């Protein structure tokens, strides 16, 4: 049997478009935004992307990417344009596909905000403006086929299920290391919780005071009265009992949780309140991390390990006021939390995967056990490991998300 060699060359017209617009594309592309998409769509392998990112400057990295792109197969051009649209690079997309200018999909897609500047991005818009036939890659949560409810379960049938706030800090103005890879975490969590049934608000790069203001405003939303739950997700640098704003100022996690206790947030009394923190909780680790696995920890000026004030008072305070809360941390107290510069954090990768595959028929506490198992099975090339930690405050029932079902 004769085997015909598959054509792996890019269309000459597309190659010329990339070549002739090389300089202009280099100016407008935000590399760290598109890298996760290039890997997800398999235009580049992780090894190839490491070679790109190994270039000395960001300009050199962009140049290498655009020079290598024409050699990435016949579908690479169309996939690249899709990525530009997905990440809000509309001017770059119009450079390569001028016909989009009169396409209604561009005006619809322009409702999205880039992951910069502290802007909101409502996931409600994502679901309404990204049909599959436009090539926009969405994560899919398996829908429930029957209700899972009862006297031992939290009520989870409202539409929306509740409101979800995601705060993603990436750029710390050179006061702390930039959290490369976190854009992918935020995007996936955004889409997954929307698929489950939440109305999601994403905030990016907030100072400590902005975080406090946003969290307080979110906790006081009058709409909480009419929904069954709430979710708060914070992705940032951190230490034992704090997270950092982009101004490198500390925020005590207890100050965030305080906003949602039964005294401060009466509209959510008796309703499940879920908190997910992707951040370091100390500086302890064994022998270091590999090139693309970085900790979400603030560097110590003096070196060594931070002292961890682990007391019962900080873990469970004013217990009668604290009910129906689950607090999931990416790592245990005192330890760093690993994050891949390209693929995102171990914890968020596991969390989104488990929610996608099991939210339809597994209750939350068991899903968090699955997340912990996945994280614990991973290891860096230096032998570094990680485990998650979950705390419950007056958590009294099972929680089934029942995605896709409403009453």
């Amino acid at each position: 049997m004769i085997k015909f060699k598959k054509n792996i060359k890019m269309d000459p017209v597309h190659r010329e478009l990339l070549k002739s617009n090389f300089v202009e594309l280099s100016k407008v592309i935000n590399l760290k935004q598109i890298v996760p998409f290039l890997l997800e769509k398999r235009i580049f392998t992780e090894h190839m992307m490491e070679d790109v990112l190994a270039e000395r400057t960001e300009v050199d990295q962009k140049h290498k990417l655009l020079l290598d792109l024409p050699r990435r197969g016949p579908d690479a051009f169309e996939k690249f344009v899709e990525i530009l649209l997905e990440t809000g690079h509309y001017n770059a997309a119009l450079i390569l596909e001028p016909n989009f200018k009169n396409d209604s999909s561009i005006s619809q897609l322009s409702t999205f905000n880039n992951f910069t500047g502290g802007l909101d991005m409502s996931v409600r818009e994502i679901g309404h403006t990204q049909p599959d036939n436009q090539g926009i890659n969405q994560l899919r949560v398996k829908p429930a086929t029957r209700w899972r409810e009862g006297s031992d379960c939290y009520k989870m049938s409202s539409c929306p299920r509740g409101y979800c706030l995601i705060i993603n800090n990436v750029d710390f103005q050179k006061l702390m290391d930039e959290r490369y890879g976190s854009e992918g975490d935020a995007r996936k969590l955004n889409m997954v919780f929307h698929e489950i049934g939440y109305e999601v608000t994403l905030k990016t790069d907030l100072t400590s005071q902005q975080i406090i203001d946003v969290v307080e405003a979110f906790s006081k939303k009058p709409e909480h009265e009419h929904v069954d739950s709430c979710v708060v997700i914070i992705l940032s640098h951190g230490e034992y009992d704090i997270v950092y704003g982009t101004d490198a100022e500390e925020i005590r996690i207890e100050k965030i949780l305080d906003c949602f206790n039964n005294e401060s947030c009466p509209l959510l009394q008796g309703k499940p309140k879920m908190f997910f923190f992707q951040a370091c909780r100390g500086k302890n680790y064994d022998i270091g991390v590999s090139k693309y696995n970085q900790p979400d920890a603030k560097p110590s000026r003096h070196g060594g390990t931070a002292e961890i004030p682990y007391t019962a008072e900080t873990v469970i305070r004013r217990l009668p006021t604290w009910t129906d809360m689950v607090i999931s941390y990416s790592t245990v107290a005192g330890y760093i939390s690993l994050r891949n510069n390209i693929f995102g954090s171990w914890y968020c990768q596991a969390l989104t995967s488990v929610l996608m595959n099991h939210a339809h028929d597994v209750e939350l506490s068991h899903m968090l056990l699955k997340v912990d198992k996945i994280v614990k099975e991973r290891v860096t090339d230096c032998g570094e490991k990680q485990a998650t930690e979950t705390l419950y405050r007056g958590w009294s029932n099972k929680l089934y998300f029942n995605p896709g079902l409403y009453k």
Side-chain angles (χ1 to χ4, degrees):
M1 180 182 294
I2 299 175
K3 293 184 178 181
F4 293 94
K5 186 176 180 180
K6 184 180 179 180
N7 179 21
I8 60 172
K9 294 183 178 180
M10 181 179 286
D11 187 307
V13 174
H14 293 160
R15 292 171 67 94
E16 182 58 33
L17 274 171
L18 289 169
K19 181 180 178 181
S20 59
N21 293 287
F22 182 88
V23 174
E24 191 61 31
L25 288 170
S26 296
K27 292 179 181 178
V28 297
I29 289 175
N30 185 324
L31 194 61
K32 66 182 180 182
Q33 287 185 3
I34 68 173
V35 164
F37 292 79
L38 291 167
L39 291 164
E40 284 183 13
K41 294 181 182 293
R42 298 183 180 180
I43 301 177
F44 288 85
T45 66
E46 184 174 358
H47 179 71
M48 293 173 183
M49 192 53 65
E50 288 178 3
D51 289 340
V52 170
L53 298 178
E55 294 293 322
R56 188 171 58 87
T57 68
E58 185 175 356
V59 172
D60 292 336
Q61 292 168 2
K62 292 179 183 180
H63 287 176
K64 181 167 177 56
L65 177 77
L66 292 171
L67 288 172
D68 289 349
L69 189 61
R71 297 193 288 268
R72 298 309 304 140
D75 299 327
F77 182 85
E78 289 84 356
K79 289 180 179 179
F80 184 61
V81 173
E82 289 174 4
I83 290 170
L84 295 176
L85 292 174
E86 290 178 53
T87 54
H89 289 81
Y90 311 116
N91 290 334
L94 289 171
I95 290 172
L96 297 176
E97 290 283 6
N99 292 334
F100 277 141
K101 188 171 293 187
N102 298 320
D103 193 329
S104 62
S105 64
I106 284 290
S107 61
Q108 290 176 325
L109 284 164
S110 64
T111 60
F112 293 109
N113 295 308
N114 291 336
F115 288 106
T116 55
L119 300 175
D120 288 340
M121 183 171 79
S122 171
V123 82
R124 185 181 285 272
E125 295 170 354
I126 290 179
H128 291 174
T129 61
Q130 292 192 354
D132 290 340
N133 60 8
Q134 287 181 328
I136 304 300
N137 187 26
Q138 283 198 62
L139 301 176
R140 293 295 180 189
V141 173
K142 291 182 180 180
T145 57
R146 65 178 180 85
W147 285 101
R148 286 171 171 79
E149 53 188 350
S151 59
D152 62 343
C153 296
Y154 285 108
K155 178 179 177 293
M156 291 291 284
S157 59
S158 64
C159 182
R161 282 292 183 269
Y163 296 93
C164 174
L165 172 66
I166 302 175
I167 296 175
N168 179 37
N169 281 350
V170 178
D171 186 357
F172 287 76
Q173 308 298 321
K174 298 184 179 180
L175 298 170
M176 302 171 73
D177 290 339
E178 194 160 345
R179 299 184 60 253
Y180 293 109
S182 191
E183 301 95 336
D185 286 346
R187 179 179 58 84
K188 290 175 183 177
L189 288 164
N190 195 337
M191 291 183 178
V192 166
F193 274 96
H194 168 61
E195 290 271 317
I196 289 174
Y198 285 84
E199 184 171 316
V200 185
T201 297
L202 172 63
K203 296 280 189 174
T204 303
D205 290 341
L206 302 185
T207 65
S208 58
Q209 188 58 53
Q210 287 173 332
I211 290 175
I212 292 169
D213 292 343
V214 166
V215 168
E216 288 181 345
F218 178 77
S219 71
K220 297 183 186 305
K221 285 174 67 77
E223 293 88 348
H224 287 310
E225 181 179 2
H226 307 294
V227 297
D228 292 336
S229 62
C230 116
V231 175
V232 176
I233 303 171
I234 296 184
L235 317 173
S236 190
H237 284 302
E239 290 183 21
Y240 166 65
D241 59 354
I242 62 176
V243 290
Y244 286 99
T246 54
D247 52 357
E249 293 296 322
E250 302 176 356
I251 309 160
R252 291 186 64 84
I253 288 175
E254 284 298 323
K255 186 174 181 65
I256 294 170
L257 300 178
D258 276 343
C259 297
F260 297 90
N261 65 32
N262 291 333
E263 181 179 2
S264 301
C265 190
L267 295 181
L268 288 172
Q269 287 181 5
K271 301 176 183 180
K273 296 164 280 284
M274 293 157 272
F275 301 87
F276 302 91
F277 292 95
Q278 164 56 42
C280 285
R281 302 178 70 198
K283 298 179 177 65
N284 289 333
Y285 57 94
D286 294 331
I287 55 175
V289 295
S290 64
K291 180 180 178 182
Y292 286 101
N293 290 297
Q294 296 183 342
D296 278 335
K298 182 178 181 181
S300 172
R301 293 180 182 176
H302 309 292
T305 300
E307 186 176 335
I308 307 303
Y310 201 160
T311 65
E313 183 180 5
T314 57
V315 176
I316 301 177
R317 182 167 62 85
R318 299 172 66 196
L319 185 59
T321 306
W322 301 92
T323 64
D324 311 297
M325 283 188 177
V326 59
I327 307 155
S328 178
Y329 294 101
S330 60
T331 189
V332 298
Y335 284 81
I336 56 94
S337 184
L338 293 168
R339 170 177 39 82
N340 186 285
N341 278 358
I342 297 173
F343 295 108
S345 66
W346 289 9
Y347 172 72
C348 291
Q349 290 178 57
L351 180 61
T352 53
S353 175
V354 168
L355 289 171
M356 286 169 58
N357 293 300
H358 300 288
H360 67 293
D361 64 354
V362 177
E363 63 100 14
L364 179 62
S365 63
H366 283 84
M367 283 194 285
L368 293 177
L369 291 175
K370 291 178 181 291
V371 171
D372 183 62
K373 182 178 180 181
I374 292 172
V375 172
K376 285 190 297 190
E377 288 175 347
R378 296 191 65 166
V379 61
T380 70
D381 55 7
C382 296
E384 188 65 28
K385 301 284 287 185
Q386 182 176 323
T388 70
E389 182 173 9
T390 300
L391 302 178
Y392 296 92
R393 298 188 179 182
W395 190 261
S396 55
N397 291 313
K398 299 176 183 177
L399 188 148
Y400 291 96
F401 285 109
N402 297 315
L405 301 178
Y406 300 96
K407 289 184 178 180

